[in-house]
Amino acid sequence: MRNLESQRILKDEECFEVVRKKLHRDCMEDFSLIDYEVVPIDGVNGYMGQYFKLKARVARPMTPLETKDLNFFTKIPPPISSPQYEFIQQYGTFKKEVELYTRVFPEVLDGPEQKYIPECFLGLENDVIVLEDMAHSGFIMTDKFEPFDFEHCQVLMKTLAKFHAKSFIFEEQYKKNLHDEFSHCMQETLWSHKDGKSKAMFDAAVKGTVSMIEIIPNLNKNQKEVFKEKLIDLSASHMDKLSPSSKHKNVLCHGDLWANNILFKYDKDKKPIECCLIDFQLARYNPPAHDILCFFQFTTSRELRDKHCETLLKIYYDSMTEALKEAGLDISMIFPWIEFMSSIEDLRTMCIIHGILNTPIMLLDPGAASKYFSEEPELLESVLYVDRTPLICGQFENVPKYRARMLEGLLELYDRLVD
């Protein structure tokens, strides 16, 4: 088990191996490692691990004054004292991400264009992951409180289509089912059917959402009661709907496409031109619609969804069409438009619910996130697995941006279920 003493985050031989792979990839074998350090990243940008920068300095032995700095992103599981540690051990979230980076992605996401996933230089089961630092390629994280505009969504749709297309290409070329081939890392790791913390976490999410319905200013008492009953009723089957679909085509889905898991690169006019997907601990084998619709709920405003959803779906489909064509495949034979749109309609309500169950934690104010996930982790047990009502209702009442996003999702679901 790694700890926060920098010398223990990575062993010397592990750092040497990371640097060796990087130098080989960049055709810099004549450089050698001088020194390195592992520096914690400030702030809570994710909830399922501890994050660091690995900074290494290399030089040519014959010209030691000619040095180069190499930077990597390093991730280890939550501390053993955290309630999250027991969760990732029980459901294998960290282990899954290591398997995806070290086994699945190299086999499925082949090709030089695969820059929408960071390169992995080291992955040790339940221990550590060292990735390319995308910040040094110009990718940055957006403000999670600011809903994505159309331009950001357009870039994501094109990238996501390429990512999903790789699943279809793999299955067509090798005549193998991706889920069967890599079942060891396709299991559900957020709300699993296993008893224990996963079910407790799901129940706490539902309870917290029901508590927010109670304080929606736009609805009267009767409307709130009807809404809560419908939500609780639909939630009873929600975990089942995270399993692979028996009706629609499935692909490897990211499963957690919120703002902090999507990095963007911008041009000189500050327009987004590329994006990169990170953090695959909740990846699952689902219809592409699951990723698309959950992305909309996690990151966009209702106004954008109402105005641009159809256009963005067309952008996604056209991009997938092109990706499959480049692989010699005809999308009309593999994933016809009518089937795609049928899956969108079938999963829409489920994904709105998935959004309102997840965004209350995703969009916590930085102060609250730090308090519960780093400063006072002893408070986390109750928030994650018992009752998050005090936390998220407090955020709802006191953080205007939080309240606005919660209200949009809740009222969108209300309009779909009740009106």
Side-chain angles (χ1 to χ4, degrees):
M1 176 65 191
R2 317 255 164 170
N3 63 36
L4 287 181
E5 299 173 21
S6 8
Q7 69 266 27
R8 298 290 300 280
I9 298 300
L10 283 173
K11 301 173 184 175
D12 287 345
E13 58 269 26
E14 293 168 348
C15 185
F16 294 151
E17 178 63 12
V18 167
V19 171
R20 185 194 67 77
K21 288 182 178 178
K22 171 68 172 174
L23 294 176
H24 176 72
R25 192 199 74 171
D26 294 349
C27 300
M28 294 168 54
E29 283 94 339
D30 54 343
F31 281 76
S32 59
L33 180 64
I34 299 175
D35 57 38
Y36 74 92
E37 63 176 339
V38 183
V39 182
I41 296 176
D42 294 333
V44 180
N45 293 318
Y47 300 121
M48 300 291 280
Q50 302 175 83
Y51 305 137
F52 305 84
K53 295 279 188 179
L54 164 60
K55 300 181 177 182
R57 178 163 293 179
V58 299
R60 284 191 172 98
M62 301 302 293
T63 54
L65 296 180
E66 183 184 347
T67 64
K68 288 185 179 292
D69 293 327
L70 306 178
N71 294 272
F72 306 88
F73 175 83
T74 303
K75 179 177 180 178
I76 64 174
I80 197 167
S81 60
S82 169
Q84 298 158 287
Y85 180 79
E86 184 180 343
F87 184 91
I88 70 160
Q89 292 298 313
Q90 183 174 356
Y91 299 102
T93 57
F94 200 91
K95 176 182 178 181
K96 173 202 273 189
E97 188 167 30
V98 170
E99 291 282 334
L100 286 168
Y101 273 116
T102 59
R103 295 189 57 188
V104 181
F105 292 165
E107 189 166 345
V108 178
L109 305 181
D110 58 336
E113 77 285 1
Q114 184 227 322
K115 287 308 296 176
Y116 46 82
I117 304 292
E119 182 173 354
C120 180
F121 292 97
L122 178 69
L124 301 178
E125 180 179 308
N126 288 331
D127 204 2
V128 65
I129 299 173
V130 180
L131 303 171
E132 176 183 5
D133 185 355
M134 300 306 290
H136 285 266
S137 297
F139 290 87
I140 62 174
M141 188 179 292
T142 63
D143 179 354
K144 69 179 183 179
F145 284 109
E146 293 299 324
F148 284 9
D149 60 18
F150 178 80
E151 291 174 324
H152 284 81
C153 291
Q154 179 176 238
V155 171
L156 186 279
M157 286 294 107
K158 292 178 178 179
T159 301
L160 192 60
K162 295 175 185 176
F163 175 62
H164 288 163
K166 290 292 189 178
S167 294
F168 288 137
I169 293 167
F170 177 89
E171 293 187 343
E172 287 294 318
Q173 289 182 340
Y174 295 100
K175 304 303 178 186
K176 295 178 180 178
N177 178 278
L178 202 61
H179 187 270
D180 293 343
E181 189 72 6
F182 301 107
S183 58
H184 57 284
C185 55
M186 297 283 177
Q187 77 280 11
E188 176 59 31
T189 46
L190 176 62
W191 291 327
S192 167
H193 281 290
K194 294 180 182 178
D195 291 332
K197 287 189 173 294
S198 182
K199 181 63 165 61
M201 180 185 281
F202 178 76
D203 290 343
V206 174
K207 187 174 183 179
T209 301
V210 168
S211 71
M212 278 199 298
I213 292 174
E214 190 59 44
I215 56 176
I216 294 177
N218 314 59
L219 304 179
N220 62 39
K221 184 176 181 180
N222 182 61
Q223 289 172 322
K224 291 175 183 177
E225 289 304 314
V226 172
F227 189 13
K228 287 190 288 186
E229 287 177 10
K230 288 185 175 290
L231 174 63
I232 292 169
D233 182 57
L234 285 171
S235 295
S237 61
H238 187 81
M239 295 171 74
D240 294 331
K241 294 172 183 174
L242 297 176
S243 300
S245 173
S246 58
K247 178 180 178 181
H248 302 292
K249 290 273 184 69
N250 299 286
V251 297
L252 174 60
C253 285
H254 180 281
D256 196 21
L257 286 172
W258 67 296
N260 284 15
N261 289 339
I262 309 167
L263 309 179
F264 286 91
K265 181 185 283 189
Y266 298 85
D267 65 15
K268 58 181 177 58
D269 298 317
K270 299 185 178 179
K271 300 291 185 183
I273 53 174
E274 294 180 54
C275 74
C276 170
L277 311 181
I278 60 173
D279 200 340
F280 288 85
Q281 293 187 96
L282 304 185
R284 53 175 66 94
Y285 192 65
N286 269 173
H290 177 87
D291 256 356
I292 296 168
L293 294 173
C294 287
F295 161 76
F296 286 157
Q297 298 304 131
F298 293 159
T299 68
T300 69
S301 66
R302 185 177 182 181
E303 179 184 6
L304 183 137
R305 294 192 286 274
D306 290 343
K307 184 177 181 181
H308 295 298
C309 181
E310 290 184 14
T311 302
L312 290 168
L313 292 176
K314 187 67 166 61
I315 289 170
Y316 170 91
Y317 194 79
D318 288 347
S319 298
M320 178 173 278
T321 301
E322 186 62 29
L324 294 178
K325 184 179 179 181
E326 289 176 0
L329 301 174
D330 182 354
I331 196 170
S332 66
M333 303 296 293
I334 296 171
F335 195 43
W337 172 259
I338 191 170
E339 290 185 14
F340 173 51
M341 292 308 295
S342 173
S343 69
I344 291 289
E345 189 52 41
D346 285 352
L347 272 66
R348 194 180 294 273
T349 299
M350 175 264 189
C351 289
I352 296 175
I353 292 173
H354 201 68
I356 67 167
L357 293 177
N358 281 279
T359 50
I361 294 297
M362 290 174 175
L363 297 181
L364 287 174
D365 174 82
S370 293
K371 176 181 178 179
Y372 284 90
F373 286 88
S374 64
E375 295 169 11
E376 301 179 50
E378 66 275 8
L379 301 175
L380 196 58
E381 183 83 28
S382 177
V383 166
L384 286 182
Y385 306 117
V386 182
D387 187 5
R388 52 191 67 172
T389 296
L391 171 61
I392 65 177
C393 285
Q395 293 278 290
F396 188 97
E397 297 281 13
N398 299 313
V399 183
K401 287 185 177 181
Y402 186 93
R403 179 169 60 253
R405 293 286 292 277
M406 296 305 109
L407 277 174
E408 276 197 337
L410 287 166
L411 291 176
E412 183 178 14
L413 182 62
Y414 176 84
D415 290 344
R416 190 166 180 87
L417 296 183
V418 182
D419 275 8

PDB file of all heavy atoms in Angstrom, residues 24-46:
ATOM      1  N   HIS A  24      12.011   6.055 -24.840  1.00  0.00           N
ATOM      2  CA  HIS A  24      11.941   5.188 -26.018  1.00  0.00           C
ATOM      3  C   HIS A  24      10.855   5.674 -26.978  1.00  0.00           C
ATOM      4  O   HIS A  24      11.060   5.737 -28.191  1.00  0.00           O
ATOM      5  CB  HIS A  24      11.670   3.745 -25.588  1.00  0.00           C
ATOM      6  CG  HIS A  24      11.498   2.804 -26.746  1.00  0.00           C
ATOM      7  ND1 HIS A  24      12.558   2.405 -27.535  1.00  0.00           N
ATOM      8  CD2 HIS A  24      10.388   2.203 -27.261  1.00  0.00           C
ATOM      9  CE1 HIS A  24      12.110   1.593 -28.487  1.00  0.00           C
ATOM     10  NE2 HIS A  24      10.798   1.456 -28.343  1.00  0.00           N
ATOM     11  N   ARG A  25       9.701   6.031 -26.420  1.00  0.00           N
ATOM     12  CA  ARG A  25       8.605   6.500 -27.273  1.00  0.00           C
ATOM     13  C   ARG A  25       8.987   7.765 -28.024  1.00  0.00           C
ATOM     14  O   ARG A  25       8.619   7.970 -29.178  1.00  0.00           O
ATOM     15  CB  ARG A  25       7.349   6.759 -26.430  1.00  0.00           C
ATOM     16  CG  ARG A  25       6.094   6.963 -27.265  1.00  0.00           C
ATOM     17  CD  ARG A  25       4.991   7.651 -26.487  1.00  0.00           C
ATOM     18  NE  ARG A  25       5.262   9.070 -26.307  1.00  0.00           N
ATOM     19  CZ  ARG A  25       4.393   9.947 -25.820  1.00  0.00           C
ATOM     20  NH1 ARG A  25       3.211   9.538 -25.430  1.00  0.00           N
ATOM     21  NH2 ARG A  25       4.720  11.216 -25.689  1.00  0.00           N
ATOM     22  N   ASP A  26       9.741   8.633 -27.358  1.00  0.00           N
ATOM     23  CA  ASP A  26      10.115   9.908 -27.962  1.00  0.00           C
ATOM     24  C   ASP A  26      11.473   9.862 -28.661  1.00  0.00           C
ATOM     25  O   ASP A  26      12.038  10.900 -29.012  1.00  0.00           O
ATOM     26  CB  ASP A  26      10.135  11.008 -26.892  1.00  0.00           C
ATOM     27  CG  ASP A  26       8.750  11.298 -26.337  1.00  0.00           C
ATOM     28  OD1 ASP A  26       7.766  10.803 -26.918  1.00  0.00           O
ATOM     29  OD2 ASP A  26       8.652  12.006 -25.319  1.00  0.00           O
ATOM     30  N   CYS A  27      11.990   8.631 -28.856  1.00  0.00           N
ATOM     31  CA  CYS A  27      13.283   8.444 -29.533  1.00  0.00           C
ATOM     32  C   CYS A  27      14.391   9.246 -28.857  1.00  0.00           C
ATOM     33  O   CYS A  27      15.170   9.958 -29.505  1.00  0.00           O
ATOM     34  CB  CYS A  27      13.171   8.834 -31.010  1.00  0.00           C
ATOM     35  SG  CYS A  27      11.956   7.857 -31.924  1.00  0.00           S
ATOM     36  N   MET A  28      14.453   9.154 -27.531  1.00  0.00           N
ATOM     37  CA  MET A  28      15.451   9.891 -26.752  1.00  0.00           C
ATOM     38  C   MET A  28      16.270   8.922 -25.895  1.00  0.00           C
ATOM     39  O   MET A  28      16.606   9.199 -24.750  1.00  0.00           O
ATOM     40  CB  MET A  28      14.769  10.924 -25.846  1.00  0.00           C
ATOM     41  CG  MET A  28      14.069  12.059 -26.591  1.00  0.00           C
ATOM     42  SD  MET A  28      12.995  13.033 -25.497  1.00  0.00           S
ATOM     43  CE  MET A  28      14.136  13.505 -24.183  1.00  0.00           C
ATOM     44  N   GLU A  29      16.621   7.741 -26.465  1.00  0.00           N
ATOM     45  CA  GLU A  29      17.305   6.728 -25.678  1.00  0.00           C
ATOM     46  C   GLU A  29      18.677   7.163 -25.186  1.00  0.00           C
ATOM     47  O   GLU A  29      19.239   6.562 -24.267  1.00  0.00           O
ATOM     48  CB  GLU A  29      17.452   5.431 -26.492  1.00  0.00           C
ATOM     49  CG  GLU A  29      16.182   4.615 -26.578  1.00  0.00           C
ATOM     50  CD  GLU A  29      15.375   4.930 -27.823  1.00  0.00           C
ATOM     51  OE1 GLU A  29      15.564   6.013 -28.386  1.00  0.00           O
ATOM     52  OE2 GLU A  29      14.559   4.079 -28.224  1.00  0.00           O
ATOM     53  N   ASP A  30      19.216   8.219 -25.784  1.00  0.00           N
ATOM     54  CA  ASP A  30      20.538   8.661 -25.350  1.00  0.00           C
ATOM     55  C   ASP A  30      20.471   9.556 -24.115  1.00  0.00           C
ATOM     56  O   ASP A  30      21.487  10.103 -23.687  1.00  0.00           O
ATOM     57  CB  ASP A  30      21.268   9.389 -26.492  1.00  0.00           C
ATOM     58  CG  ASP A  30      20.464  10.535 -27.078  1.00  0.00           C
ATOM     59  OD1 ASP A  30      19.243  10.575 -26.839  1.00  0.00           O
ATOM     60  OD2 ASP A  30      21.049  11.375 -27.778  1.00  0.00           O
ATOM     61  N   PHE A  31      19.265   9.743 -23.555  1.00  0.00           N
ATOM     62  CA  PHE A  31      19.124  10.470 -22.295  1.00  0.00           C
ATOM     63  C   PHE A  31      19.015   9.477 -21.149  1.00  0.00           C
ATOM     64  O   PHE A  31      18.560   8.342 -21.322  1.00  0.00           O
ATOM     65  CB  PHE A  31      17.866  11.348 -22.325  1.00  0.00           C
ATOM     66  CG  PHE A  31      18.025  12.639 -23.076  1.00  0.00           C
ATOM     67  CD1 PHE A  31      18.023  12.654 -24.458  1.00  0.00           C
ATOM     68  CD2 PHE A  31      18.177  13.839 -22.392  1.00  0.00           C
ATOM     69  CE1 PHE A  31      18.175  13.834 -25.163  1.00  0.00           C
ATOM     70  CE2 PHE A  31      18.319  15.027 -23.088  1.00  0.00           C
ATOM     71  CZ  PHE A  31      18.311  15.036 -24.467  1.00  0.00           C
ATOM     72  N   SER A  32      19.393   9.913 -19.945  1.00  0.00           N
ATOM     73  CA  SER A  32      19.242   9.071 -18.767  1.00  0.00           C
ATOM     74  C   SER A  32      18.701   9.901 -17.613  1.00  0.00           C
ATOM     75  O   SER A  32      18.825  11.131 -17.592  1.00  0.00           O
ATOM     76  CB  SER A  32      20.580   8.431 -18.376  1.00  0.00           C
ATOM     77  OG  SER A  32      21.543   9.434 -18.119  1.00  0.00           O
ATOM     78  N   LEU A  33      18.124   9.220 -16.635  1.00  0.00           N
ATOM     79  CA  LEU A  33      17.473   9.892 -15.514  1.00  0.00           C
ATOM     80  C   LEU A  33      18.490  10.494 -14.550  1.00  0.00           C
ATOM     81  O   LEU A  33      19.442   9.843 -14.140  1.00  0.00           O
ATOM     82  CB  LEU A  33      16.587   8.883 -14.769  1.00  0.00           C
ATOM     83  CG  LEU A  33      15.830   9.396 -13.553  1.00  0.00           C
ATOM     84  CD1 LEU A  33      14.816  10.462 -13.940  1.00  0.00           C
ATOM     85  CD2 LEU A  33      15.134   8.240 -12.840  1.00  0.00           C
ATOM     86  N   ILE A  34      18.268  11.774 -14.213  1.00  0.00           N
ATOM     87  CA  ILE A  34      19.109  12.440 -13.210  1.00  0.00           C
ATOM     88  C   ILE A  34      18.438  12.377 -11.839  1.00  0.00           C
ATOM     89  O   ILE A  34      19.011  11.919 -10.860  1.00  0.00           O
ATOM     90  CB  ILE A  34      19.363  13.917 -13.585  1.00  0.00           C
ATOM     91  CG1 ILE A  34      20.080  14.016 -14.922  1.00  0.00           C
ATOM     92  CG2 ILE A  34      20.158  14.616 -12.486  1.00  0.00           C
ATOM     93  CD1 ILE A  34      20.246  15.445 -15.396  1.00  0.00           C
ATOM     94  N   ASP A  35      17.192  12.878 -11.765  1.00  0.00           N
ATOM     95  CA  ASP A  35      16.454  12.821 -10.511  1.00  0.00           C
ATOM     96  C   ASP A  35      14.958  12.918 -10.796  1.00  0.00           C
ATOM     97  O   ASP A  35      14.552  13.169 -11.933  1.00  0.00           O
ATOM     98  CB  ASP A  35      16.901  13.929  -9.542  1.00  0.00           C
ATOM     99  CG  ASP A  35      16.747  15.317 -10.149  1.00  0.00           C
ATOM    100  OD1 ASP A  35      15.755  15.557 -10.873  1.00  0.00           O
ATOM    101  OD2 ASP A  35      17.607  16.175  -9.890  1.00  0.00           O
ATOM    102  N   TYR A  36      14.177  12.707  -9.743  1.00  0.00           N
ATOM    103  CA  TYR A  36      12.728  12.812  -9.894  1.00  0.00           C
ATOM    104  C   TYR A  36      12.094  13.156  -8.553  1.00  0.00           C
ATOM    105  O   TYR A  36      12.707  12.985  -7.488  1.00  0.00           O
ATOM    106  CB  TYR A  36      12.131  11.502 -10.432  1.00  0.00           C
ATOM    107  CG  TYR A  36      12.081  10.371  -9.433  1.00  0.00           C
ATOM    108  CD1 TYR A  36      10.950  10.168  -8.635  1.00  0.00           C
ATOM    109  CD2 TYR A  36      13.159   9.498  -9.280  1.00  0.00           C
ATOM    110  CE1 TYR A  36      10.901   9.134  -7.723  1.00  0.00           C
ATOM    111  CE2 TYR A  36      13.111   8.458  -8.375  1.00  0.00           C
ATOM    112  CZ  TYR A  36      11.973   8.284  -7.594  1.00  0.00           C
ATOM    113  OH  TYR A  36      11.936   7.262  -6.681  1.00  0.00           O
ATOM    114  N   GLU A  37      10.868  13.666  -8.603  1.00  0.00           N
ATOM    115  CA  GLU A  37      10.086  13.892  -7.397  1.00  0.00           C
ATOM    116  C   GLU A  37       8.616  13.655  -7.696  1.00  0.00           C
ATOM    117  O   GLU A  37       8.174  13.779  -8.841  1.00  0.00           O
ATOM    118  CB  GLU A  37      10.287  15.321  -6.868  1.00  0.00           C
ATOM    119  CG  GLU A  37       9.827  16.410  -7.811  1.00  0.00           C
ATOM    120  CD  GLU A  37       9.951  17.796  -7.201  1.00  0.00           C
ATOM    121  OE1 GLU A  37      10.007  17.907  -5.953  1.00  0.00           O
ATOM    122  OE2 GLU A  37       9.966  18.775  -7.972  1.00  0.00           O
ATOM    123  N   VAL A  38       7.861  13.279  -6.662  1.00  0.00           N
ATOM    124  CA  VAL A  38       6.424  13.061  -6.781  1.00  0.00           C
ATOM    125  C   VAL A  38       5.732  14.098  -5.921  1.00  0.00           C
ATOM    126  O   VAL A  38       5.942  14.149  -4.709  1.00  0.00           O
ATOM    127  CB  VAL A  38       6.030  11.637  -6.338  1.00  0.00           C
ATOM    128  CG1 VAL A  38       4.531  11.419  -6.538  1.00  0.00           C
ATOM    129  CG2 VAL A  38       6.825  10.602  -7.112  1.00  0.00           C
ATOM    130  N   VAL A  39       4.928  14.941  -6.555  1.00  0.00           N
ATOM    131  CA  VAL A  39       4.333  16.099  -5.886  1.00  0.00           C
ATOM    132  C   VAL A  39       2.820  15.960  -5.847  1.00  0.00           C
ATOM    133  O   VAL A  39       2.190  15.746  -6.899  1.00  0.00           O
ATOM    134  CB  VAL A  39       4.706  17.402  -6.633  1.00  0.00           C
ATOM    135  CG1 VAL A  39       4.134  18.610  -5.906  1.00  0.00           C
ATOM    136  CG2 VAL A  39       6.219  17.517  -6.772  1.00  0.00           C
ATOM    137  N   PRO A  40       2.192  16.072  -4.678  1.00  0.00           N
ATOM    138  CA  PRO A  40       0.726  15.978  -4.617  1.00  0.00           C
ATOM    139  C   PRO A  40       0.063  17.103  -5.413  1.00  0.00           C
ATOM    140  O   PRO A  40       0.564  18.219  -5.480  1.00  0.00           O
ATOM    141  CB  PRO A  40       0.420  16.122  -3.115  1.00  0.00           C
ATOM    142  CG  PRO A  40       1.705  15.805  -2.416  1.00  0.00           C
ATOM    143  CD  PRO A  40       2.800  16.237  -3.343  1.00  0.00           C
ATOM    144  N   ILE A  41      -1.065  16.781  -6.025  1.00  0.00           N
ATOM    145  CA  ILE A  41      -1.855  17.783  -6.727  1.00  0.00           C
ATOM    146  C   ILE A  41      -2.864  18.351  -5.737  1.00  0.00           C
ATOM    147  O   ILE A  41      -3.625  17.601  -5.117  1.00  0.00           O
ATOM    148  CB  ILE A  41      -2.582  17.172  -7.939  1.00  0.00           C
ATOM    149  CG1 ILE A  41      -1.557  16.675  -8.964  1.00  0.00           C
ATOM    150  CG2 ILE A  41      -3.534  18.176  -8.572  1.00  0.00           C
ATOM    151  CD1 ILE A  41      -2.181  15.963 -10.150  1.00  0.00           C
ATOM    152  N   ASP A  42      -2.883  19.659  -5.588  1.00  0.00           N
ATOM    153  CA  ASP A  42      -3.796  20.296  -4.647  1.00  0.00           C
ATOM    154  C   ASP A  42      -5.232  20.209  -5.138  1.00  0.00           C
ATOM    155  O   ASP A  42      -5.500  20.192  -6.343  1.00  0.00           O
ATOM    156  CB  ASP A  42      -3.423  21.775  -4.459  1.00  0.00           C
ATOM    157  CG  ASP A  42      -2.076  21.939  -3.777  1.00  0.00           C
ATOM    158  OD1 ASP A  42      -1.693  21.037  -3.015  1.00  0.00           O
ATOM    159  OD2 ASP A  42      -1.413  22.967  -4.022  1.00  0.00           O
ATOM    160  N   GLY A  43      -6.164  20.185  -4.187  1.00  0.00           N
ATOM    161  CA  GLY A  43      -7.580  20.219  -4.542  1.00  0.00           C
ATOM    162  C   GLY A  43      -8.146  18.826  -4.755  1.00  0.00           C
ATOM    163  O   GLY A  43      -7.422  17.843  -4.904  1.00  0.00           O
ATOM    164  N   VAL A  44      -9.473  18.771  -4.763  1.00  0.00           N
ATOM    165  CA  VAL A  44     -10.184  17.510  -4.982  1.00  0.00           C
ATOM    166  C   VAL A  44     -10.790  17.555  -6.367  1.00  0.00           C
ATOM    167  O   VAL A  44     -11.831  18.145  -6.590  1.00  0.00           O
ATOM    168  CB  VAL A  44     -11.285  17.301  -3.919  1.00  0.00           C
ATOM    169  CG1 VAL A  44     -12.014  15.985  -4.162  1.00  0.00           C
ATOM    170  CG2 VAL A  44     -10.689  17.324  -2.519  1.00  0.00           C
ATOM    171  N   ASN A  45     -10.107  16.940  -7.340  1.00  0.00           N
ATOM    172  CA  ASN A  45     -10.605  16.927  -8.717  1.00  0.00           C
ATOM    173  C   ASN A  45     -11.278  15.612  -9.069  1.00  0.00           C
ATOM    174  O   ASN A  45     -11.827  15.445 -10.150  1.00  0.00           O
ATOM    175  CB  ASN A  45      -9.455  17.197  -9.691  1.00  0.00           C
ATOM    176  CG  ASN A  45      -8.925  18.610  -9.543  1.00  0.00           C
ATOM    177  OD1 ASN A  45      -9.696  19.540  -9.407  1.00  0.00           O
ATOM    178  ND2 ASN A  45      -7.607  18.758  -9.517  1.00  0.00           N
ATOM    179  N   GLY A  46     -11.200  14.662  -8.180  1.00  0.00           N
ATOM    180  CA  GLY A  46     -11.848  13.369  -8.373  1.00  0.00           C
ATOM    181  C   GLY A  46     -12.105  12.763  -7.013  1.00  0.00           C
ATOM    182  O   GLY A  46     -11.592  13.238  -6.006  1.00  0.00           O
TER     183      GLY A  46
END
